[in-house]
Amino acid sequence: MTRDNRTNSKSHIPKGSFLFEKVVPVALAVMGIVMLGLILFAAGVLLGIVKF
């Protein structure tokens, strides 16, 4: 097995991209908030606070 020692020094993300500078961080934050809500909901169900 030969190993390729080339390193990819170029970024595939265009500089100043609206998608990667605005949309992706907002989407990650929204998904984090949704995940936290789901975790709290599951904990509430397990503790008997929320009847499901």
Side-chain angles (χ1 to χ4, degrees):
M1 237 196 281
T2 56
R3 190 171 169 197
D4 194 10
N5 289 332
R6 284 184 295 160
T7 59
N8 190 4
S9 61
K10 282 187 169 181
S11 175
H12 292 282
I13 300 171
K15 201 168 208 172
S17 171
F18 176 78
L19 178 71
F20 290 107
E21 288 187 7
K22 302 287 183 206
V23 176
V24 172
V26 169
L28 287 173
V30 168
M31 286 188 287
I33 293 168
V34 169
M35 183 180 68
L36 185 62
L38 288 171
I39 290 170
L40 292 174
F41 176 73
V45 170
L46 287 173
L47 294 173
I49 299 169
V50 178
K51 297 199 179 205
F52 185 73

